[in-house]
Amino acid sequence: MDNDELGLYEDDFIDDNYAKEYGDLYLSKIKKLRETITQTNADETSFSVFSLEAGLGKSLHTLKIIDSILDDWDNSLSFLIVRNFRIDIEQSVNQLEKHNKGLHTNVLGITFENWSEWQFNLDKLKDIRVLIISHQRYKNLCLDDKYRQAFMENREVLIIDEKIQFPIYTFSKITYDETRSLLHTGVQQEYDKVCSGLLKELNKQEIEKNKNKVVRCEPRIHPKTLGNFKKHMEVNIENERNMKHKNKLKEFMAGLEQWYSTKCLYNGGNISTFNRNHKLWGLKNNIILDASAGIDGIYKLGNFNLVGQERIVDHSNSQFTIIKFNSSKSNLQDNQSKFNPEICEKIKSNHKPHDQTLILCHKENYKAILEQLYKAEITKIGIGDDYNGENFAINWFGNLIGKNEYSNFTQCWIIGTPNIPYEQYLIHYMMYKQSDLGKKSTDIQLGRFKNDEFKAVQIGYISSGIYQSIKRIQRNERPQGEFFLVNGDPQIVSMVLSQIKGTDNVKSMDMDFVQKGKGDKKRDIIDKFVDYVYGLPKGMYKKKDISEAIGITNNFNRVLTDARVQSLLPITENRLGLGILKIHNKQIEKLIDPDKKDSDVTM
């Protein structure tokens, strides 16, 4: 296949190792990418999702194709490119300016720094051939028709590099406490009023203990209460000098607008929702570049056409080791006293003198793992974004986009499963399906949604996260890496390996200790306590009698101080509760009868 067929420059593939190794098989991918970019049969509601294999340079090749189009006087296509971060925008502009051979070529990257100028010159945007913006600006444009139309005018092709992650707004007790701590004491009383409906919903769901499904809910508030608080907050945010605090308050207010105006989802102490205006919008021809699109369940929901999925990079010289262990965040934390020392010893013993080893985990767990690595005498470790050539690096899920500093590493340990809260999978479903949940069951069984569509989104999200993590290392034409995947779910493992050609060398490894089962005695006892007292008639009961009835043998005080029990107590200055129980020195008082309605309970 020659460059005329590809429509690129003569020297584009002279030093391309993938072209040398895979020839026309590889070049046909680039040709298909060009055809996808230049096609004219799409519309504003459909998206071609180009699933070029991670590491093959889909962003770079896209820019090369656009560059060649700009130098073709017979081609007048104009583009809107959406990239993750400012540095990506700047690199894209620099790349396109390398071959600025035609005077008609016009490229502009919109960043925070120059937006103050261009927002007053929107009419000039239509004359720019290639406009490059960030993911965040694309999301902002969802909420502003005027600005969005200015960015769309007189352009035909939209290219989104990586999947857009629209914001999900989550309210929890942690959210409540953190936001309250940022407010002046004069605003806190109004804040408590505006949060009372949300806290009541949290308490209600906590009592009902809907653990095996996501629950639909609609928190309520009087419009005047919300309006008064918004006026207070406008002044509070305006006067906040700490930019980090200011942004947190703005984020809370954006969530507040949605929690009280949309249908929400509850699970595990979270009330979550999203802005219905946050959705994909497009031009005449729309492309999403996403290496893991073939296994990401959201692309089976909407008007998406998957292109370029075939994998070509041969991994037959690599070794894949599956460590069968439940690697959910909660299970790893439950077992960390034994798991962390053993996994760190395995990392140390498998690391050879010339190896470079990348360790990927949950952000919440990395400090504990790091501490254990130090104890195992592995002391020179690049942490997160602070990597400076060390032979070991540790990073976490959600912080890997655009990270190429590990490309030549020889080992990768993935010691966690990139789960998100259950309700967020369903929000991803609604965002990309552009539909509510309807009457579909939200029940969960053995950690998976029973509904097939929801389950596909859940499994696809996890699998694509692991696949993208694996592809952080050995980004070359003949990978020879060692990949260690801690995961006890054969369906997830199978789906991940299906995206990697030549996974012939697969072996398994077991942990030496026996992992704890799910849950613990403390959690079970508290559930029994809540169930028991919630069913008691109004009256006074001895603590001794209650403890004997439900089998509490020691440390009754730990049960009474648990957040689930505290939520049953009356409201105080520092706590909002349902007012169902009152705890005395030796007795527990039930304040309402079991058939008392939630609406009759005074907050």
Side-chain angles (χ1 to χ4, degrees):
M1 187 176 299
D2 57 33
N3 285 335
D4 288 338
E5 287 184 81
L6 296 171
L8 299 177
Y9 299 111
E10 290 184 6
D11 60 351
D12 275 330
F13 296 101
I14 291 176
D15 297 320
D16 191 315
N17 290 329
Y18 290 102
K20 294 175 183 177
E21 183 71 29
Y22 299 108
D24 284 353
L25 185 62
Y26 166 68
L27 296 177
S28 65
K29 292 282 188 183
I30 312 305
K31 181 182 178 182
K32 186 64 178 177
L33 178 59
R34 181 183 177 86
E35 291 173 354
T36 304
I37 291 173
T38 57
Q39 68 183 355
T40 57
N41 60 343
D43 60 63
E44 293 182 5
T45 62
S46 66
F47 288 78
S48 296
V49 187
F50 203 87
S51 183
L52 188 65
E53 195 163 349
L56 288 185
K58 60 185 183 299
S59 304
L60 179 61
H61 287 308
T62 297
L63 292 174
K64 287 180 177 179
I65 290 167
I66 292 173
D67 203 4
S68 67
I69 291 172
L70 295 177
D71 271 349
D72 181 357
W73 287 94
D74 296 323
N75 196 321
S76 61
L77 284 178
S78 292
F79 301 86
L80 177 62
I81 302 175
V82 186
R83 300 211 62 190
N84 268 293
F85 308 113
R86 184 187 67 181
I87 189 171
D88 300 322
I89 295 173
E90 293 170 349
Q91 289 173 350
S92 298
V93 171
N94 291 336
Q95 176 67 27
L96 289 174
E97 287 178 345
K98 284 183 179 179
H99 293 107
N100 191 6
K101 298 177 181 178
L103 294 177
H104 63 293
T105 301
N106 195 350
V107 180
L108 173 66
I110 296 287
T111 62
F112 175 79
E113 284 75 13
N114 65 5
W115 175 236
S116 58
E117 170 192 350
W118 284 98
Q119 66 177 321
F120 299 111
N121 292 281
L122 295 177
D123 60 313
K124 295 182 180 180
L125 293 179
K126 66 178 182 297
D127 298 321
I128 296 170
R129 289 286 302 279
V130 183
L131 194 55
I132 309 174
I133 63 174
S134 67
H135 276 213
Q136 184 57 54
R137 192 166 302 281
Y138 179 92
K139 289 181 276 191
N140 292 345
L141 292 173
C142 292
L143 310 179
D144 195 307
D145 293 342
K146 173 189 171 184
Y147 284 132
R148 185 172 67 253
Q149 288 302 318
F151 278 78
M152 296 170 65
E153 187 177 359
N154 198 33
R155 74 191 65 252
E156 298 86 10
V157 184
L158 169 68
I159 301 175
I160 300 175
D161 195 347
E162 304 294 351
K163 181 175 68 175
I164 297 288
Q165 300 286 355
F166 292 110
I168 295 174
Y169 302 106
T170 297
F171 181 87
S172 66
K173 188 59 167 60
I174 293 174
T175 307
Y176 167 78
D177 290 337
E178 287 182 346
T179 306
R180 196 177 196 275
S181 70
L182 301 178
L183 298 175
H184 188 273
T185 53
V187 186
Q188 289 179 350
Q189 186 175 2
E190 291 296 324
Y191 175 75
D192 290 342
K193 287 180 182 179
V194 86
C195 289
S196 62
L198 291 162
L199 289 166
K200 182 176 181 179
E201 191 69 41
L202 284 180
N203 289 336
K204 171 186 173 184
Q205 299 299 344
E206 191 68 29
I207 290 167
E208 294 180 1
K209 301 192 303 300
N210 289 297
K211 296 175 183 174
N212 293 320
K213 66 179 179 181
V214 178
V215 180
R216 301 163 175 87
C217 63
E218 292 186 68
R220 301 292 187 183
I221 192 172
H222 194 285
K224 187 176 181 180
T225 303
L226 181 59
N228 288 339
F229 180 71
K230 287 166 68 174
K231 291 178 182 177
H232 282 295
M233 285 299 291
E234 285 176 6
V235 177
N236 203 88
I237 293 173
E238 183 66 29
N239 293 332
E240 177 60 61
R241 295 182 179 180
N242 185 309
M243 189 55 65
K244 185 177 181 181
H245 292 173
K246 184 185 287 259
N247 290 335
K248 280 185 173 292
L249 292 175
K250 285 182 177 179
E251 183 180 351
F252 176 82
M253 292 306 295
L256 194 63
E257 288 281 355
Q258 303 306 317
W259 297 318
Y260 282 126
S261 63
T262 63
K263 294 180 180 179
C264 300
L265 298 174
Y266 169 89
N267 182 263
N270 293 330
I271 294 174
S272 297
T273 190
F274 69 106
N275 189 328
R276 266 53 178 182
N277 290 319
H278 274 139
K279 55 188 176 183
L280 289 175
W281 52 268
L283 303 173
K284 295 177 182 177
N285 181 24
N286 308 299
I287 299 108
I288 298 174
L289 306 175
D290 188 344
S292 55
I295 53 176
D296 193 326
I298 65 162
Y299 294 119
K300 298 178 175 66
L301 300 175
N303 195 6
F304 300 107
N305 175 37
L306 269 62
V307 185
Q309 293 186 73
E310 181 190 5
R311 296 334 194 186
I312 65 173
V313 178
D314 189 352
H315 287 73
S316 58
N317 292 328
S318 295
Q319 175 70 58
F320 294 85
T321 301
I322 312 302
I323 302 170
K324 299 176 181 178
F325 192 87
N326 178 355
S327 54
S328 69
K329 189 187 307 179
S330 59
N331 194 64
L332 290 175
Q333 289 176 341
D334 287 345
N335 290 276
Q336 64 178 328
S337 63
K338 292 184 178 180
F339 176 85
N340 288 353
E342 184 175 335
I343 201 70
C344 289
E345 282 299 328
K346 290 183 186 297
I347 291 171
K348 181 180 179 179
S349 63
N350 280 277
H351 181 90
K352 297 175 287 296
H354 299 293
D355 277 333
Q356 286 182 287
T357 297
L358 173 64
I359 302 155
L360 297 172
C361 61
H362 301 105
K363 186 174 183 179
E364 293 83 351
N365 292 346
Y366 91 90
K367 289 183 179 178
I369 295 169
L370 189 64
E371 181 181 350
Q372 197 62 51
L373 288 170
Y374 291 151
K375 290 180 180 179
E377 299 180 341
I378 300 172
T379 56
K380 294 182 179 180
I381 306 170
I383 303 170
D385 295 333
D386 296 324
Y387 173 72
N388 294 299
E390 295 90 347
N391 285 336
F392 287 88
I394 187 168
N395 215 319
W396 43 88
F397 303 116
N399 194 45
L400 298 173
I401 296 173
K403 296 288 191 301
N404 292 321
E405 56 263 54
Y406 314 124
S407 298
N408 296 322
F409 274 44
T410 54
Q411 286 192 5
C412 180
W413 290 75
I414 302 175
I415 52 179
T417 300
N419 294 305
I420 54 177
Y422 284 114
E423 80 280 1
Q424 293 192 16
Y425 295 114
L426 301 189
I427 290 177
H428 281 286
Y429 169 89
M430 290 190 287
M431 285 176 174
Y432 278 84
K433 180 82 169 180
Q434 283 300 294
S435 168
D436 285 334
L437 302 179
K439 296 182 178 180
K440 296 182 178 69
S441 170
T442 57
D443 287 359
I444 299 164
Q445 187 175 47
L446 300 176
R448 295 282 183 266
F449 286 102
K450 290 183 179 181
N451 178 275
D452 289 339
E453 281 189 311
F454 300 162
K455 185 191 297 182
V457 172
Q458 180 185 15
I459 293 174
Y461 182 96
I462 296 168
S463 300
S464 60
I466 294 174
Y467 168 72
Q468 292 280 13
S469 301
I470 284 176
K471 295 294 285 186
R472 290 304 100 193
I473 77 165
Q474 289 292 292
R475 295 165 80 89
N476 58 67
E477 71 279 6
R478 280 286 177 180
Q480 299 184 51
E482 293 180 271
F483 301 88
F484 298 85
L485 175 57
V486 180
N487 198 289
D489 190 324
Q491 186 177 8
I492 295 292
V493 172
S494 177
M495 187 170 287
V496 171
L497 295 182
S498 74
Q499 296 299 296
I500 303 171
K501 183 179 179 180
T503 53
D504 303 319
N505 301 318
V506 180
K507 64 180 183 180
S508 61
M509 180 189 295
D510 292 319
M511 301 297 288
D512 293 335
F513 74 94
V514 178
Q515 62 180 304
K516 294 179 182 178
K518 295 180 180 179
D520 56 31
K521 185 175 181 181
K522 177 175 174 261
R523 178 179 292 273
D524 292 341
I525 286 295
I526 292 167
D527 289 345
K528 289 179 182 178
F529 174 85
V530 172
D531 286 341
Y532 182 81
V533 298
Y534 203 57
L536 290 174
K538 182 177 178 181
M540 299 288 289
Y541 299 89
K542 292 181 180 180
K543 288 182 180 178
K544 180 181 178 181
D545 292 341
I546 293 177
S547 63
E548 289 178 354
I550 60 177
I552 299 176
T553 57
N554 55 28
N555 212 346
F556 192 22
N557 190 53
R558 287 182 64 191
V559 175
L560 298 180
T561 56
D562 186 273
R564 283 164 287 174
V565 177
Q566 291 289 302
S567 70
L568 306 181
L569 306 183
I571 187 172
T572 68
E573 182 178 350
N574 298 315
R575 180 190 64 240
L576 282 159
L578 286 176
I580 293 173
L581 295 181
K582 189 173 183 179
I583 298 174
H584 301 278
N585 185 30
K586 293 184 178 181
Q587 293 177 309
I588 293 176
E589 183 179 2
K590 182 70 181 300
L591 301 175
I592 64 171
D593 286 320
D595 59 349
K596 191 82 168 178
K597 295 180 181 178
D598 289 328
S599 58
D600 297 329
V601 179
T602 302
M603 291 293 291

